[in-house]
C-alpha cells in the first residue's frame, strides 16, 4: 500500500508533458483490454512520441523524463506497424493479451521513474549567460527568491540583497570590470552561508587569475584563534619568510599588516567554500589571513612563547603554490577506505568513517561497519568512538542504514522537501522519506562521536540523528559544517563570464518536519557538541605543537567517566562488593 501511495504522490513532480504521456499509457492499456479494433487507436503511441519530442525540445532531459520517453518509444515501436498495415480482422484475445504484456513491460521504465520522481525531477538550468551582468544577476536573484530551499529559514531579504549587490554588478558592467563582477558574484553567493553553494567551474587552485593575484602569495604560516581571542601560529613552514624572521610555532600575532590582528581577520574574505557557521568562518579566516599578492610586504608584530618581548618583522609574500592552504585543508585519497575500525587502549573501539560512499578499495562500507561492530561485541569493548571529523558526506541512504546499528526501534531519519514547480510551494517527497531500521547487529553501549567544522553534508546526518540519545555524547571544538541541504537536482544557472553556479534544491526535515542541520541567518547550525572542547593555550599546545589528538583524548575521558559512574551506581553488576 505504501508503494502505491508513493507512486501516486510522485505524480506531482511530473511536468505537464510527462503527465500527458502517462495518461496516454493508461488509455492505451485500457484500450487493448476493452476497445475493438480501431485504426485510429494505433496513432496514439505516435502522438506520444511527438509529445516526447516537444518535451525534449523544451529542455526536459532529466532522468525522470528519459525513462518516460523510453516507455513511449517502446510502445510506439510495437504499434507502428498497425498504422501502415491495419488489420481488417478484429484483434484476437491472444493478440490483446500479448499487447497488454508488451504495454506493462514497456511501462516499467515509467514505473521506475515514478519511484524516484522527486529526486530526478526536471529542474531546468537557467541560461543567463547571454544577458548583461545586471540582467543576469536580477534574474538569478528572482529565481532564488522562489526556489532556494532555505530562504525563509535564513530569513533572506531578497530585495535587500538586490539593493546591496546590484550597484556593484552595474559598476562592473559599465566599467567592463570582469574581476569586480566575479568577486561581487562570489560575495553574493557566499552571503547565503551555505556550504553547498558553489561556482562549479571557478577552479581556485588551477588557473583562477583573480585568486592567484590576490591570494597566491604566502609567508609560511597559518593561524588559529583561541576562545579568549588570542591569535596563535598553528602552522609554520620551515625556511619560509616567517620562519627566517624568527616566528615560531605557537607565537601570538598581535598586529598584521599594520592593523590589529582581529580587524585583519575580519577583513579576510577569501575561502574555498561559503562558511556556513561561525566556527567555519573563524577557522577559515585563520587559514587565509596570511595570504597576499606575491611580492607584497607585510609588517607583523608577534610574540613567541619563550620570549615575552614583542617583535616586529616585515614579511614578503612569495609564490608557495598555495602550500599553507593545502596543508590546512583535508583532502581524501581514492585509496582511503570509507570505514576503518580498530581497538585502542583500555579496550575501547574506534571507528573512522571518512565518507558515506563506496570506495575504490571498499565496495560495501555498511558491511564493514557491521563486521567491525560485531568484532567489538565479541571482544567486549567498553565503548565505541565514532570519528566523523573531516567527513564531507555522501549518501543519506547509507547513513540511515549505518545508523541502524545504534537503535533498537524504527525511527525517522529525515523527510525531504523540494520546490514543486507545478504548485509553487515546497512539498515533501513521500518516496524519499528515510527511516532507520534496527540492524541485527545492535550496539547499546556508550558511544562518543567526534565532529569538527569539516563534518559536512551527509556526514552531519549521523551526529544529528544520534544526538540526544542517553548513551551518546557528541564531542568537538565546533559544531559540524551546517550544510545539510539536499542536492538531488541542484538549482543551476549559467552566468555571464562562463560561470556556472549551483544551489542545493532540497531541505532535510526532522521527525517533526522542521529543517534540520542547516545554519540559520546568524551562522548557527549543524550538530552541536554535547561536550565542546575548549580552544585554549593548553589544548592549542597539545594539538598544534605536541601533535596530540585532543578530541580523541576527550572522548576517552568521557567514556571512562561514564564507565566509572556506572560502576558506582551499579557496583554489583560490575562485580564490586
Amino acid at each position: 500500500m505504501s508503494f502505491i501511495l508513493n507512486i501516486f504522490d510522485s505524480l506531482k513532480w511530473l511536468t505537464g508533458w510527462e503527465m500527458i504521456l502517462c495518461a496516454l499509457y493508461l488509455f492505451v492499456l485500457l484500450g487493448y483490454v476493452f476497445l475493438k479494433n480501431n485504426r485510429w487507436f494505433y496513432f496514439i503511441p505516435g502522438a506520444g512520441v511527438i509529445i516526447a519530442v516537444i518535451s525534449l525540445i523544451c529542455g526536459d532531459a532529466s532522468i525522470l523524463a528519459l525513462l518516460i520517453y523510453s516507455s513511449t518509444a517502446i510502445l510506439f515501436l510495437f504499434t507502428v506497424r498497425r498504422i501502415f498495415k491495419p488489420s481488417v480482422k478484429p484483434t484476437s484475445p491472444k493478440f490483446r493479451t500479448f499487447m497488454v504484456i508488451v504495454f506493462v513491460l514497456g511501462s516499467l521504465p515509467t514505473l521506475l521513474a515514478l519511484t524516484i520522481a522527486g529526486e530526478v525531477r526536471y529542474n531546468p538550468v537557467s541560461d543567463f549567460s547571454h544577458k548583461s551582468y545586471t540582467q543576469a544577476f536580477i534574474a538569478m536573484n528572482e529565481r532564488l527568491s522562489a526556489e532556494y530551499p532555505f530562504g525563509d529559514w535564513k530569513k533572506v531579504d531578497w530585495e535587500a540583497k538586490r539593493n546591496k549587490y546590484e550597484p556593484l554588478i552595474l559598476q562592473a558592467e559599465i566599467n567592463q570590470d570582469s574581476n569586480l563582477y566575479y568577486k561581487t558574484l562570489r560575495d553574493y553567493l557566499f552571503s547565503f552561508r551555505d556550504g553547498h553553494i558553489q561556482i562549479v567551474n571557478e577552479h581556485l587552485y588551477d588557473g583562477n587569475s583573480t585568486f592567484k593575484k590576490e591570494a597566491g602569495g604566502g609567508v609560511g604560516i597559518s593561524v588559529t584563534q583561541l576562545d579568549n581571542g588570542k591569535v596563535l601560529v598553528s602552522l609554520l613552514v620551515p625556511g619560509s619568510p616567517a620562519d627566517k624572521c624568527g616566528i615560531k610555532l605557537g607565537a601570538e600575532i598581535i598586529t598584521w599588516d599594520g592593523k590589529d590582528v582581529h580587524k585583519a581577520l575580519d577583513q579576510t574574505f577569501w575561502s574555498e567554500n561559503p562558511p556556513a557557521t561561525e566556527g567555519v568562518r573563524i577557522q577559515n579566516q585563520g587559514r587565509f589571513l596570511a595570504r597576499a599578492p606575491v611580492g607584497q610586504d607585510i609588517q607583523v608584530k608577534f610574540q613567541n612563547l619563550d620570549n615575552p618581548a614583542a617583535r616586529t618583522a616585515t614579511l614578503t609574500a612569495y609564490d608557495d603554490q598555495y602550500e599553507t592552504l593545502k596543508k590546512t585543508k583535508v583532502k581524501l585519497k581514492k585509496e582511503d577506505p570509507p570505514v576503518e575500525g580498530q581497538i585502542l587502549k583500555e579496550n575501547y573501539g574506534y571507528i573512522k568513517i571518512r565518507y558515506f560512499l563506496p570506495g575504490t578499495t571498499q565496495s560495501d562500507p555498511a558491511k564493514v561497519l557491521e563486521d567491525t561492530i560485531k568484532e567489538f561485541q565479541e571482544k567486549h569493548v567498553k565503548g565505541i568512538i565514532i570519528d566523523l571529523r573531516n567527513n564531507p558526506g555522501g549518501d543519506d541512504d547509507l547513513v540511515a542504514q549505518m545508523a541502524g546499528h545504534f537503535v533498537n526501534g524504527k525511527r525517522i531519519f529525515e523527510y525531504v522537501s523540494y520546490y514543486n514547480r507545478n504548485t509553487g510551494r515546497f512539498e515533501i517527497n513521500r518516496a524519499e522519506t528515510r527511516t532507520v531500521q534496527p540492524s541485527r547487529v545492535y550496539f547499546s553501549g556508550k558511544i562518543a562521536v567526534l565532529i569538527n567544522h569539516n563534518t559536512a553534508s551527509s556526514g552531519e546526518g549521523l551526529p544529528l540523528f544520534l544526538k540526544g540519545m542517553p548513551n551518546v555524547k557528541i564531542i568537538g571544538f565546533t559544531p559540524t559544517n551546517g550544510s545539510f541541504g539536499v542536492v538531488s537536482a541542484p538549482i543551476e544557472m549559467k552566468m555571464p563570464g562562463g560561470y556556472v553556479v549551483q544551489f542545493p534544491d532540497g531541505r532535510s526535515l526532522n521527525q517533526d518536519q522542521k529543517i534540520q542541520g542547516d545554519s540559520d541567518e546568524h551562522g548557527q547550525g549543524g550538530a552541536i557538541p554535547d561536550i565542546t572542547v575548549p580552544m585554549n593555550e593548553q589544548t592549542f599546545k597539545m594539538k598544534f605543537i605536541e601533535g596530540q589528538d585532543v578530541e580523541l583524548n576527550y572522548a576517552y575521558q568521557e567514556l571512562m567517566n561514564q564507565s566509572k559512574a556506572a560502576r558506582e551506581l551499579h557496583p554489583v553488576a560490575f562485580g564490586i562488593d
Side-chain angles (χ1 to χ4, degrees):
M1 181 61 71
S2 177
F3 175 78
I4 300 298
L5 290 175
N6 288 346
I7 290 293
F8 278 103
D9 183 75
S10 293
L11 294 173
K12 68 189 180 188
W13 303 114
L14 303 184
T15 66
W17 296 119
E18 291 164 352
M19 289 181 182
I20 292 173
L21 289 174
C22 289
L24 286 180
Y25 300 154
L26 181 60
F27 181 79
V28 172
L29 173 62
L30 295 175
Y32 275 117
V33 174
F34 297 109
L35 293 179
K36 295 181 179 180
N37 185 30
N38 290 298
R39 185 182 180 188
W40 63 264
F41 178 74
Y42 297 103
F43 285 91
I44 295 176
V49 171
I50 295 173
I51 292 171
V53 171
I54 294 173
S55 177
L56 188 61
I57 292 173
C58 290
D60 189 0
S62 62
I63 296 174
L64 174 62
L66 294 177
L67 288 169
I68 294 175
Y69 299 161
S70 298
S71 292
T72 305
I74 292 171
L75 197 61
F76 174 73
L77 291 174
F78 273 90
T79 57
V80 65
R81 180 174 175 273
R82 290 273 174 158
I83 296 175
F84 300 103
K85 293 184 178 181
S87 175
V88 295
K89 299 180 180 180
T91 53
S92 66
K94 287 185 178 180
F95 179 77
R96 286 173 177 265
T97 302
F98 171 74
M99 289 307 297
V100 168
I101 293 173
V102 168
F103 169 83
V104 171
L105 293 177
S107 297
L108 288 179
T110 295
L111 290 175
L112 172 61
L114 291 175
T115 63
I116 56 174
E119 298 172 74
V120 298
R121 72 201 181 286
Y122 177 50
N123 197 13
V125 175
S126 295
D127 188 356
F128 304 140
S129 59
H130 61 284
K131 297 178 178 289
S132 68
Y133 290 168
T134 307
Q135 290 172 337
F137 170 76
I138 293 172
M140 174 177 61
N141 193 66
E142 183 177 352
R143 179 178 178 184
L144 292 174
S145 67
E147 299 181 31
Y148 177 57
F150 305 107
D152 295 338
W153 177 252
K154 295 176 182 285
K155 295 182 172 58
V156 177
D157 186 332
W158 298 100
E159 185 177 356
K161 280 198 180 295
R162 176 173 173 174
N163 292 338
K164 178 179 179 179
Y165 293 103
E166 185 180 349
L168 294 172
I169 295 287
L170 180 59
Q171 181 183 340
E173 179 182 322
I174 294 172
N175 297 335
Q176 298 184 344
D177 188 339
S178 59
N179 282 342
L180 176 60
Y181 161 68
Y182 164 61
K183 290 172 65 177
T184 305
L185 172 63
R186 206 171 191 274
D187 190 29
Y188 169 80
L189 299 178
F190 278 45
S191 70
F192 289 92
R193 307 192 76 151
D194 186 334
H196 278 127
I197 295 174
Q198 60 175 326
I199 300 177
V200 179
N201 56 343
E202 71 174 338
H203 307 302
L204 280 185
Y205 295 118
D206 184 21
N208 188 311
S209 58
T210 302
F211 183 65
K212 183 70 174 180
K213 179 180 178 181
E214 297 191 8
V219 294
I221 64 170
S222 184
V223 302
T224 294
Q225 185 172 340
L226 306 187
D227 295 339
N228 64 10
K230 285 187 177 182
V231 179
L232 306 184
V233 175
S234 50
L235 171 70
L236 178 66
V237 177
S240 65
D243 182 37
K244 290 178 180 178
C245 82
I247 294 178
K248 297 181 181 179
L249 198 61
E252 180 182 358
I253 303 298
I254 302 169
T255 65
W256 186 265
D257 199 21
K259 307 167 191 165
D260 177 81
V261 68
H262 298 101
K263 183 176 182 180
L265 282 169
D266 288 340
Q267 293 176 350
T268 300
F269 62 90
W270 278 107
S271 63
E272 292 97 343
N273 303 105
T277 64
E278 281 298 288
V280 179
R281 184 184 67 84
I282 291 171
Q283 293 284 338
N284 185 74
Q285 286 177 338
R287 295 177 61 238
F288 277 86
L289 173 71
R291 305 303 304 181
V294 174
Q296 178 173 314
D297 290 333
I298 304 166
Q299 189 179 71
V300 56
K301 185 177 181 180
F302 65 95
Q303 180 180 335
N304 285 322
L305 289 173
D306 57 359
N307 189 342
R311 296 171 54 188
T312 302
T314 299
L315 311 176
T316 302
Y318 70 106
D319 187 353
D320 65 347
Q321 301 298 308
Y322 306 111
E323 182 177 8
T324 62
L325 296 178
K326 292 177 180 178
K327 284 186 174 180
T328 53
K329 184 176 177 64
V330 176
K331 187 174 183 180
L332 296 172
K333 301 175 183 176
K334 290 183 179 180
E335 60 269 21
D336 289 335
V339 177
E340 279 188 312
Q342 58 179 306
I343 295 179
L344 303 178
K345 63 182 181 180
E346 303 293 335
N347 200 36
Y348 286 106
Y350 173 84
I351 300 172
K352 176 65 177 178
I353 305 180
R354 292 185 175 87
Y355 49 92
F356 288 100
L357 288 171
T360 56
T361 60
Q362 195 178 92
S363 60
D364 191 354
K367 183 64 168 59
V368 175
L369 178 64
E370 180 179 299
D371 293 343
T372 301
I373 295 175
K374 188 174 181 180
E375 178 188 353
F376 288 171
Q377 290 175 325
E378 292 170 351
K379 295 185 178 179
H380 306 288
V381 297
K382 298 177 182 178
I384 292 179
I385 299 169
I386 302 175
D387 191 349
L388 296 172
R389 290 173 295 178
N390 304 312
N391 185 314
D395 182 359
D396 280 7
D397 288 319
L398 183 57
V399 180
Q401 181 182 353
M402 289 181 169
H405 296 294
F406 310 110
V407 295
N408 56 8
K410 180 180 176 182
R411 281 182 54 190
I412 292 291
F413 178 77
E414 70 177 345
Y415 297 98
V416 177
S417 170
Y418 297 116
Y419 178 76
N420 188 312
R421 309 190 70 79
N422 298 316
T423 64
R425 300 191 304 266
F426 280 89
E427 299 183 21
I428 289 176
N429 180 33
R430 180 186 175 93
E432 207 175 346
T433 299
R434 294 183 174 91
T435 58
V436 174
Q437 301 286 351
S439 172
R440 60 188 182 89
V441 178
Y442 168 55
F443 183 81
S444 60
K446 302 299 181 183
I447 300 171
V449 181
L450 302 182
I451 60 172
N452 66 5
H453 62 284
N454 286 325
T455 306
S457 193
S458 296
E460 303 178 73
L462 191 56
L464 284 169
F465 178 80
L466 296 178
K467 186 172 175 60
M469 294 175 59
N471 62 321
V472 176
K473 293 294 182 184
I474 311 295
I475 300 171
F477 283 107
T478 68
T480 56
N481 191 269
S483 302
F484 196 53
V486 180
V487 187
S488 296
I491 301 170
E492 184 172 304
M493 286 170 270
K494 296 179 180 179
M495 301 295 289
Y499 299 113
V500 179
V501 300
Q502 277 190 355
F503 287 73
D505 59 309
R507 306 162 166 173
S508 174
L509 311 179
N510 61 20
Q511 61 183 1
D512 299 320
Q513 298 187 10
K514 303 295 184 183
I515 290 175
Q516 62 177 342
D518 273 78
S519 64
D520 59 20
E521 75 275 19
H522 303 298
Q524 305 298 317
I528 311 298
D530 298 308
I531 299 173
T532 299
V533 181
M535 180 55 75
N536 53 32
E537 283 87 348
Q538 180 183 1
T539 55
F540 177 92
K541 180 180 178 182
M542 293 167 63
K543 183 177 180 67
F544 294 107
I545 297 179
E546 298 174 357
Q548 295 187 42
D549 192 332
V550 177
E551 300 104 305
L552 184 60
N553 291 341
Y554 265 74
Y556 272 130
Q557 190 61 51
E558 173 60 25
L559 292 177
M560 287 190 288
N561 289 344
Q562 290 186 34
S563 296
K564 181 180 178 181
R567 286 195 298 269
E568 293 174 350
L569 186 62
H570 304 288
V572 176
F574 286 86
I576 302 172
D577 295 327

